[in-house]
Amino acid sequence: MTNKDIVTPICVVSYCELSPDDRRLVDCARKATQRAYAPYSRFSVGAAILLTNGEIIAGSNQENAATPSSLCAERTAAFYAHSAYPDEKFLAIAIAARDTDGSEIQSPIAPCGGCRQTLLEYETLAGQDVKVILVGAKEIYIIPSVKSLLPVAFTEFN
């Protein structure tokens, strides 16, 4: 028997330590939380994706009384980005959230499993790592790739 350790590299930074491009992406994700439709959970999430052409596409979670019909911010942004710019590749995604009281969450949150799988598809399509920036009021996590968040992933090559 062999044991393997799976390690996810996370760089913890403050907002002022981000590059100007990453700050812009984080700002867009934070702003997108204000456009969330979250009457059931009251947990508003925003995501912003940087494309190879420099465009930033933002999305927010959109809830529905028929819960399975709801859509997370990450997938809203990803589907719109690829639909509007099918020839562009994803470079990075930032994800931010506001709590039920409307304040920014203190610690970063990670995408759900469905969003991780969806983002991995676009990372694979890009043929390169897509940086993941998870935003909290106290600290920000920078993760080098979606694959780092989903190390034992289902892909077309499995």
Side-chain angles (χ1 to χ4, degrees), residues 36-65:
Y37 178 68
Y40 306 102
S41 71
R42 296 187 309 124
F43 191 76
S44 300
V45 181
I49 296 173
L50 175 63
L51 300 175
T52 50
N53 65 357
E55 291 284 333
I56 293 178
I57 303 298
S60 58
N61 58 317
Q62 302 295 309
E63 295 180 351
N64 188 285

Side-chain angles (χ1 to χ4, degrees), residues 91-147:
L91 294 176
I93 182 169
I95 304 160
R98 287 186 294 119
D99 211 339
T100 56
D101 65 1
S103 63
E104 184 174 32
I105 59 168
Q106 292 299 301
S107 297
I109 59 159
C112 73
C115 287
R116 291 177 196 211
Q117 187 68 47
T118 297
L119 292 170
L120 181 62
E121 186 82 14
Y122 290 109
E123 182 174 86
T124 302
L125 183 61
Q128 64 187 31
D129 290 347
V130 173
K131 179 170 41 176
V132 180
I133 304 170
L134 305 177
V135 183
K138 289 192 321 186
E139 57 192 6
I140 296 171
Y141 298 167
I142 299 177
I143 299 165
S145 68
V146 176
K147 180 75 171 166

